[in-house]
Amino acid sequence: MKHFLNIHDVKDLNALVQEALKCKKTPKANRKLGKNKTLGLIFMNPSLRTRLSTQKAGINLGMDVMVMNFAGEGWALETEEGVIMNGDKAEHIIEAAAVVGSYCDIIGLRSFPTLKDRALDYSDHVINAFVKYAGVPIVNLESATVHPCQSLTDVMTIEETKSRKKPRVVLTWAPHPRALPQSVANSFAEWMNRTDYEFIIANPEGYDLAKEFAGKAQIVHNPEEAYKGADYIYAKNWSSYEDYGQILLQDENWMVDERKMNLTNNAKFMHCLPVRRNVVVSDAVIDSKHALVIREAANREFAAQAVLKQILNNG
Ligand code: CP
C-alpha cells in the first residue's frame, strides 16, 4: 500500500481486516518495523479518537509521532493554486505539505469539507494537494468525502462480533442540530459494498448519498422497514448531498430508540462517535449491551496500525 486515501487503495479487504485483528491480539509484535521512522499527524479539524488511536498505532510500531493542530496553531492555509496571496492566508498548501513531508516518513491528515461548495469538496483538494506535494505516503484521517480509517474499523468490528456469515447491516440517517459532512456515511457505504453483507441505507427523502458511494445498496426512506430483521444498526447524521450541506429536517422518529431496535434481529448498535445522546440515539440503546461504540473506538488503534504496517512494509 502506498497511500491510504480510500477503499481503492485496499487490494484485499479481508486481508487488511485480518491484519487489524492480528494487531489487536499482539499490538507490540512489530515494534522494530517503525524504528527511526516519523509519523506526522496533521489536523485541520477537531478529533479525539482519530488523533489518539493513530498516535498509539504509530507508537505500537516503534515510530516517533508528531501531532499538529493546523487550525489553531498553523498559519492560515491557501489551497487554491495560482492566486495572488494578498489576503489573510499566509502560507500556501504547496509549501506546507512539502515542509511537513520533509520531516516525516508518513503523514496522516484530517481535513473536513466546507459544506458550501460541493464540487470543491468532492474534489478532495486538500488531501490531494498533500499527496501531490508532500512526497511521502498519506493516510486519510477523514477528508471532505470519506473516512476510511473509521470504515476499516467498522468492518473489523462487524467481523469480530457477527453471529451469521452475511449479516443484514443498516446504515441509518439520524437527526442532528448541526450540518455534518457525508464522509463517514459515504465511506461506510463504499466499504460495505465491498463485503458480501446485505446492506441497506435508510434515510429521509432529500438525504440520498452520492451514487458513487451508495453503489449497489438498497435505499429505503422508512426507518421501520429498514430495521426489520437487521443485525447491525449503524447510525450517523449527514447533511444533504442533493441540497448540498443543508439540514432539511430534524424528525425525531429517525432517532435510534428501543421501539425500532425491537424490530431487529437483536441488532448491535454502532456509531463512530462523538454522538449526541437522545438526539441521534436514546440513552436506553447506547447504554444497552447491544451498543458497540466503545469497542469500535478501541478498534481504531488496530485498524490504524494495520494500515501503517502495510505502508511501512511497502518501504
Ligand atoms: N470517529 C472519529 O473519527 O472520532 P474523532 O472525530 O474524535 O476523531
Side-chain angles (χ1 to χ4, degrees):
M1 186 186 290
K2 186 163 191 305
H3 301 284
F4 184 65
L5 305 176
N6 54 48
I7 187 81
H8 307 297
D9 293 308
V10 180
K11 281 198 190 92
D12 184 338
L13 175 55
N14 185 48
L16 188 59
V17 169
Q18 293 311 316
E19 183 64 59
L21 290 166
K22 203 167 136 195
C23 290
K24 186 171 183 174
K25 272 199 187 128
T26 52
K28 312 284 185 192
N30 295 99
R31 282 187 75 79
K32 288 192 182 144
L33 185 64
K35 197 168 183 296
N36 299 324
K37 302 277 185 191
T38 301
L39 172 65
L41 302 177
I42 305 297
F43 287 85
M44 313 277 188
N45 313 94
S47 170
L48 188 166
R49 282 142 289 270
T50 306
R51 179 170 169 159
L52 294 182
S53 64
T54 316
Q55 203 167 346
K56 183 82 186 299
I59 293 167
N60 288 347
L61 291 166
M63 301 184 83
D64 297 313
V65 188
M66 302 192 296
V67 185
M68 184 166 173
N69 180 0
F70 259 46
E73 298 158 9
W75 300 103
L77 271 193
E78 177 60 66
T79 58
E80 197 180 336
E81 297 199 14
V83 293
I84 299 168
M85 289 175 58
N86 58 0
D88 56 358
K89 293 179 179 162
E91 174 141 39
H92 204 285
I93 198 165
I94 295 173
E95 287 78 44
V99 169
V100 177
S102 75
Y103 304 141
C104 300
D105 298 284
I106 300 175
I107 297 172
L109 176 71
R110 164 165 288 193
S111 173
F112 287 174
T114 63
L115 292 182
K116 291 186 174 72
D117 183 335
R118 189 169 87 176
L120 182 70
D121 287 348
Y122 273 67
S123 73
D124 248 334
H125 68 299
V126 175
I127 197 156
N128 284 326
F130 265 77
V131 171
K132 189 169 173 188
Y133 297 113
V136 297
I138 304 295
V139 176
N140 185 343
L141 302 180
E142 188 171 347
S143 70
T145 61
V146 287
H147 192 354
C149 289
Q150 182 64 52
S151 304
L152 170 58
T153 306
D154 296 332
V155 179
M156 174 192 175
T157 306
I158 292 172
E159 279 301 302
E160 67 174 355
T161 58
K162 70 183 185 183
S163 55
R164 57 177 164 150
K165 193 168 179 300
K166 295 183 183 180
R168 177 177 165 93
V169 179
V170 176
L171 166 63
T172 180
W173 181 91
H176 199 281
R178 295 186 57 208
L180 299 186
Q182 294 104 34
S183 49
V184 170
N186 282 343
S187 207
F188 187 73
E190 69 177 359
W191 284 65
M192 285 298 110
N193 283 324
R194 275 277 289 268
T195 69
D196 58 1
Y197 308 157
E198 185 187 355
F199 178 50
I200 296 102
I201 305 176
N203 60 258
E205 301 273 1
Y207 279 96
D208 287 0
L209 296 173
K211 285 192 174 52
E212 71 204 79
F213 294 105
K216 63 185 183 190
Q218 184 190 334
I219 297 165
V220 299
H221 295 126
N222 174 323
E224 283 80 6
E225 184 188 335
Y227 276 62
K228 273 182 204 150
D231 298 297
Y232 291 88
I233 298 295
Y234 190 102
K236 185 72 185 83
N237 170 269
W238 60 90
S239 58
S240 175
Y241 172 76
E242 286 167 51
D243 201 353
Y244 191 63
Q246 297 302 303
I247 297 175
L248 307 178
L249 90 162
Q250 297 271 17
D251 185 354
E252 67 181 33
N253 190 39
W254 283 88
M255 180 176 82
V256 182
D257 58 15
E258 278 185 303
R259 181 186 66 80
K260 289 195 291 299
M261 288 299 279
N262 284 337
L263 301 172
T264 69
N265 179 32
N266 267 324
K268 308 270 194 301
F269 170 73
M270 297 179 73
H271 189 283
C272 63
L273 302 182
V275 70
R276 292 188 184 230
R277 284 171 171 254
N278 304 309
V279 175
V280 171
V281 56
S282 69
D283 280 342
V285 173
I286 196 170
D287 291 333
S288 77
K289 64 178 188 208
H290 299 295
L292 292 180
V293 294
I294 304 302
R295 181 195 282 253
E296 247 178 299
N299 280 344
R300 289 290 308 272
E301 174 182 341
F302 311 110
Q305 193 170 332
V307 168
L308 292 173
K309 200 174 157 194
Q310 284 209 354
I311 294 173
L312 287 167
N313 277 328
N314 193 43

